[in-house]
Amino acid sequence: MPGIAEHERQQHVLRLLDGQGRVSIGDLIERFGVSAVTIRKDLESLERRRLLRRVRGGAVPHDGADEGAFEMRLRHSEAAKQAIARAAAAQVKDGDAICLDCSTTCYYLAVELRARRGLVVVTNGLRAADVLSESDAITVVVLGGTVRRSSQSLVGDFGDDLSSRGRLSVGFFGLRSLSPTHGLMELSLEETTVKRRLAAACDRVYGLFDSSKLGRFGLHPFVATDHLTGLVTDDGTPDDVARQWSSRGVPVERVPVTRGGES
């Protein structure tokens, strides 16, 4: 696959590590059609971020890479997250003012929105902001706070910053877990505080989640069920779960996923 960009190449290296447990410089040179110098630079960059460990002739996975938590989550249920992001993008029109949180699904949504025009995007996600800043037709607003490296996010109580800027037409949020009784939930209080503030500034709020999130434990609600506009998930979410939410007035869109090519 010659000619792919540096970020995509490095993500593919990580997927290969997930599947094989080791990569060799020779194989990567042949696979990507680039020089040994380029591959070594890729491996050095990934090692600095503690996503792998270089060994003679190649690389192996890094043990306990906390700083790499975002990249690791990015590859988990990748096909489902990309399908969910494509469906969510249909809710956004050129010229909208929207919110994306720091979740990996919203990162994929940011990728889907890069070609839109006239968007104003408020986000606490560093990676989403980076993707959208490539477009001259999109205004990216990143609110101040403390960098949380494991989630590539900014956290802090910046409610006044939001309240003075008017309303956002729609907000999209990933989640740790969800419940028709408690709504959308997170595990981290820091993340919860940010998401509550962001969601409160949105006229419409969508929860985005792949079906692996079902049954997970969450501590802190950040969007109540009666404030949700809808949920977007994949076709692995069972009928009874969709009916539970629909009975509470929250429509659930389940998008088909082709999982055959996912590592």
Side-chain angles (χ1 to χ4, degrees):
M1 47 181 76
I4 66 173
E6 177 182 330
H7 174 72
E8 282 78 11
R9 191 170 61 242
Q10 292 182 7
Q11 289 298 311
H12 194 78
V13 169
L14 294 174
R15 283 194 289 271
L16 288 172
L17 276 176
D18 280 347
Q20 302 173 8
R22 183 187 177 103
V23 293
S24 73
I25 290 175
D27 176 64
L28 296 177
I29 291 170
E30 183 177 350
R31 184 181 297 270
F32 299 125
V34 296
S35 69
V37 171
T38 297
I39 291 300
R40 288 192 177 96
K41 285 182 178 177
D42 283 341
L43 298 183
E44 288 170 5
S45 173
L46 292 168
E47 186 175 49
R48 282 196 301 272
R49 289 150 57 196
R50 301 180 65 201
L51 298 175
L52 56 74
R53 179 167 57 87
R54 286 185 296 161
V55 296
R56 185 177 180 83
V60 295
H62 192 284
D63 297 327
D66 178 63
E67 289 182 30
F70 185 89
E71 279 82 359
M72 293 171 71
R73 293 198 313 274
L74 201 61
R75 302 193 306 278
H76 178 70
S77 300
E78 181 178 6
K81 291 174 180 177
Q82 290 173 334
I84 291 164
R86 285 191 292 272
Q91 301 297 329
V92 181
K93 305 186 300 295
D94 286 355
D96 277 348
I98 71 170
C99 165
L100 304 181
D101 75 357
C102 63
S103 63
T104 53
T105 308
C106 280
Y107 166 82
Y108 286 119
L109 178 53
V111 172
E112 292 293 324
L113 296 176
R114 281 182 298 185
R116 300 298 181 87
R117 303 191 63 81
L119 291 184
V120 175
V121 182
V122 176
T123 184
N124 74 318
L126 298 176
R127 294 291 295 278
D130 185 51
V131 165
L132 293 168
S133 66
E134 297 172 4
S135 170
D136 293 332
I138 297 175
T139 299
V140 182
V141 179
V142 179
L143 300 172
T146 302
V147 174
R148 193 167 186 254
R149 286 190 293 177
S150 62
S151 60
Q152 287 291 287
S153 65
L154 289 163
V155 295
D157 191 354
F158 39 69
D160 289 341
D161 291 344
L162 281 172
S163 62
S164 62
R165 284 173 165 79
R167 301 290 297 172
L168 301 170
S169 57
V170 58
F172 300 93
F173 296 87
L175 49 103
R176 168 74 183 189
S177 66
L178 71 169
S179 150
T181 302
H182 301 292
L184 308 187
M185 292 180 288
E186 273 295 343
L187 202 55
S188 160
L189 184 57
E190 284 183 317
E191 296 286 354
T192 301
T193 300
V194 173
K195 292 188 179 192
R196 281 178 182 163
R197 291 292 196 180
L198 290 171
C202 300
D203 291 334
R204 293 179 290 140
V205 175
Y206 287 88
L208 311 181
F209 69 98
D210 66 87
S211 53
S212 72
K213 298 292 178 67
L214 296 173
R216 283 191 177 182
F217 179 74
L219 274 175
H220 308 289
F222 64 91
V223 178
T225 297
D226 58 1
H227 290 160
L228 272 172
T229 305
L231 296 170
V232 186
T233 184
D234 60 77
D235 53 5
T237 294
D239 291 344
D240 62 327
V241 173
R243 283 195 296 268
Q244 275 186 312
W245 284 94
S246 296
S247 69
R248 296 288 190 111
V250 180
V252 179
E253 181 178 1
R254 290 180 288 174
V255 298
V257 179
T258 303
R259 295 177 172 83
E262 187 173 84
S263 298

